[in-house]
Amino acid sequence: MGFQLGSDPDPQSVVSVTLFTALICACVIIGHLLEESRWMNESITALAVGLCTGVLILWTSGGKSSRILVFSEDLFFIYLLPPIIFNAGFQVKKKQFFRNFMTIILFGAVGTLMSFMIIWLGARGLFSKLGIGSLEIKDYLAIGAIFSATDSVCTLQVLNQEETPLLYSLVFGEGVVNDATSVVLFNAIKNFDLVHIDFANSLQFVANFIYLFATSTFLGAFAGLLSAYVIKKLYFGRHSTDREVALMSLLAYLSYMLAELLKLSGILTVFFCGIVMSHYTWHNITESSRVTTKHVFATFSFMAEIFIFLYVGMDALDIEKWRLVENSPGKSIVVSSILIGLVLVGRAVFVFPLSFLMNLAKKSPNEKISFKQQVTIWWAGLMRGAVSIALAYNQFTTFGHTRQRGNAIMITSTITVVLFSTMVFGLMTKPLVRLLLPSSTRHSSSMSEPPTPSSVLIPLLENVQESEVETGGGKIRRPPSLKMLLTEPTHTVHYWRSFDNSFMRPVFGGRGFTPFVPGSPTENGASTVL
């Protein structure tokens, strides 16, 4: 469908977009008014507004429709998801994220696979006895992937990144890796030959899974480094800060689309692109561009999240899907209840055992995950959201519609699970977190960001040349070669920080490594890492 010069836009489209924009404005205003609410948050507010709007549209249309836009997986995965994931990587506290990287990967990848197995086996064993339709083995596997995708937005809106850095980084990191794992797993299932399953094919499946993770991460890091190098060398800011903001935004989005084009995980790619951009590129642009990018990325992410929850609330009342299951509403309720139970069990199966294993490997008490924190992590992953909806539509409908009873039951059950988990579990999140982690204990038990000890810098001050590098507290000299860095005493040296200061930042820029040019984005005391 193209655009004709001079042609008027479709009146129905204009009405739909106008109404949806007005609803988003209403969600922002209502969310602001309920900011101090003990129960409500932005996602629940948008969902509730969507439900009320759906009821109104359903009533005015005489029961024919409950929505003003048609759901599309392309709309979700191509336009709405990228800004959310990119901003997550751009705003993350990198030190905490990478300090807990192994735990995050363990929860987000291994834990998701364990949850997938529980949901898949449980659904296959229980649904086959209900006679809900002609579901095949691939459908049951898809169900496992669909309901392994968490939505921890409600919990993250309650947690404070400064008060609970350990807990926040674990919940946040697991949520991103979990979404990527679920989507990669779902796509692998759709492309996997389930007719001829043997040991060799299983190994190939695992190898492809690891390959997708590794290549997606590399592509995101490469895109971030490319943006840093180009902006550092060409220094767009001396002519136009708009070009800097535009280039960062476009390269980030390009990395996501390239990943999708290459059949990789766009979620992982754009997430790590955001991390790398915040570490290097953000420090190579002007001060005005820094403020602009920080707020622009956050604003787009905020609006995309509201859009998603608003639409899910309206689509939940779509009469076409419910009409196919109206003869057996009890069966749909049973299916939804089973799925919620499997989600609860699937989370518990990996959160508590994996936390126990990680605590055995931690030496410092502050690094251990307490039982109350484990309960919070378990609870944070109980909500299901737009990723589950999008994957369910992809598996069980064609362009948002279905004529098969079994598929309709799965779609309505997915919507029911999303609504129940978001509204019920989400409403209970804030009081539960306050009960488990009171403000005083949240701050005292959190992992603080320790200052860089002088012993870390001592090995870098010996046998060096005259070139110097700025750090947070002053200047230190830079080792002239990687060989010298590796031959120095390393028991007190943070390997990555040393390598980053010595070889990465001089090439790609970053805090303290941008050459001084009149009017250039030189570092000052007010500059901080996102």
Side-chain angles (χ1 to χ4, degrees), residues 10-261:
D10 181 15
Q12 183 63 35
S13 299
V14 174
V15 172
S16 300
V17 173
T18 301
L19 180 57
F20 219 91
T21 304
L23 290 174
I24 294 177
C25 292
C27 290
V28 173
I29 295 172
I30 296 173
H32 170 72
L33 296 176
L34 298 176
E35 181 69 26
E36 301 301 325
S37 171
R38 177 180 174 85
W39 304 93
M40 299 294 287
N41 55 50
E42 297 286 357
S43 56
I44 298 176
T45 300
L47 200 58
V49 171
L51 282 170
C52 295
T53 306
V55 171
L56 183 61
I57 295 175
L58 197 63
W59 178 67
T60 56
S61 65
K64 295 180 180 180
S65 177
S66 67
R67 60 193 179 187
I68 54 179
L69 295 174
V70 178
F71 185 86
S72 168
E73 298 98 80
D74 290 341
L75 172 67
F76 175 74
F77 283 107
I78 296 180
Y79 301 109
L80 298 179
L81 192 59
I84 296 175
I85 302 300
F86 174 77
N87 185 66
F90 196 76
Q91 303 283 359
V92 68
K93 297 287 186 180
K94 294 180 289 295
K95 185 180 293 184
Q96 280 294 336
F97 179 82
F98 286 105
R99 178 179 294 173
N100 303 298
F101 187 73
M102 291 307 300
T103 306
I104 290 171
I105 292 298
L106 197 64
F107 282 172
V110 178
T112 301
L113 291 175
M114 294 172 65
S115 178
F116 159 77
M117 294 293 293
I118 295 296
I119 297 173
W120 162 48
L121 293 174
R124 186 180 183 185
L126 297 173
F127 290 175
S128 59
K129 300 177 181 179
L130 296 176
I132 62 174
S134 56
L135 297 181
E136 302 176 354
I137 178 65
K138 184 171 289 190
D139 293 321
Y140 290 116
L141 289 169
I143 290 172
I146 290 168
F147 290 97
S148 296
T150 65
D151 191 333
S152 54
V153 172
C154 292
T155 308
L156 290 175
Q157 289 177 347
V158 176
L159 294 177
N160 188 304
Q161 191 168 189
E162 301 298 332
E163 290 184 348
T164 56
L166 170 62
L167 186 59
Y168 190 96
S169 66
L170 292 179
V171 172
F172 170 82
E174 188 222 336
V176 175
V177 178
N178 167 275
D179 285 346
T181 304
S182 300
V183 174
V184 170
L185 191 60
F186 180 84
N187 292 331
I189 291 169
K190 295 203 70 171
N191 299 324
F192 190 61
D193 183 11
L194 297 173
V195 178
H196 306 93
I197 300 179
D198 53 26
F199 182 71
N201 287 339
S202 300
L203 286 180
Q204 183 181 3
F205 179 84
V206 175
N208 288 338
F209 192 80
I210 297 175
Y211 165 79
L212 286 175
F213 257 81
T215 51
S216 300
T217 301
F218 174 80
L219 178 60
F222 175 78
L225 291 175
L226 177 64
S227 69
Y229 185 80
V230 170
I231 289 179
K232 179 174 181 289
K233 288 297 182 181
L234 299 182
Y235 184 44
F236 289 83
R238 66 180 166 219
H239 297 306
S240 171
T241 58
D242 297 338
R243 291 191 179 98
E244 291 181 319
V245 179
L247 190 61
M248 286 185 67
S249 304
L250 291 173
L251 284 175
Y253 188 66
L254 179 62
S255 70
Y256 181 89
M257 295 308 300
L258 279 176
E260 294 297 314
L261 182 65

Side-chain angles (χ1 to χ4, degrees), residues 287-302:
E287 283 292 337
S288 59
S289 294
R290 293 180 190 178
V291 175
T292 302
T293 53
K294 180 177 180 180
H295 292 289
V296 163
F297 296 152
T299 300
F300 277 121
S301 173
F302 174 73

Side-chain angles (χ1 to χ4, degrees), residues 7 25 27 47 58 107 127 156 178 312-313 366 382 386 432 437 457 470 478 496:
S7 62
C25 292
C27 290
L47 200 58
L58 197 63
F107 282 172
F127 290 175
L156 290 175
N178 167 275
V312 169
N366 288 335
L382 295 181
L432 179 67
L437 306 168
L457 305 179
E470 291 183 11
R478 186 176 62 201
W496 165 248

